[in-house]
Amino acid sequence: MSILLDLRQAVIHKVHNQDEDQLRSMIEGSIDGPEAALPGLGVMFEMMWKDMDAPAQTELVNSLHSHLKTITPGKLV
């Protein structure tokens, strides 16, 4: 019998027992890495977002908004 995990559970399962150095390494290895890593970062972002209070969420959105104003998106192929 095969076991099916959804993406969120698969990511959580993979990082569940990692220490802080291992988590940092996973995050840094995913930044500017293969696009296959992006869903994992999305799951991690979702976990953090759910634990933030409204002011922290607003600060994060403001930071993202400010950063997005400084970059020019590349062309879609």
Side-chain angles (χ1 to χ4, degrees):
M1 174 182 214
S2 65
I3 298 174
L4 298 176
L5 295 175
D6 66 29
L7 180 61
R8 285 179 180 90
Q9 290 303 313
V11 170
I12 292 167
H13 179 75
K14 181 176 179 178
V15 300
H16 185 261
N17 289 317
Q18 291 187 355
D19 63 28
E20 290 174 0
D21 289 335
Q22 291 170 313
L23 286 173
R24 176 180 287 277
S25 179
M26 185 274 300
I27 292 166
E28 289 176 348
S30 298
I31 302 296
D32 293 327
E35 289 192 8
L38 295 178
L41 290 175
V43 171
M44 303 298 279
F45 178 87
E46 179 184 63
M47 291 169 51
M48 292 172 38
W49 183 265
K50 287 180 176 181
D51 284 343
M52 290 179 180
D53 59 14
Q57 289 175 342
T58 299
E59 183 178 343
L60 179 58
V61 169
N62 290 341
S63 177
L64 287 168
H65 184 255
S66 293
H67 181 75
L68 287 169
K69 289 192 295 187
T70 68
I71 62 172
T72 302
K75 285 188 171 187
L76 295 176
V77 180

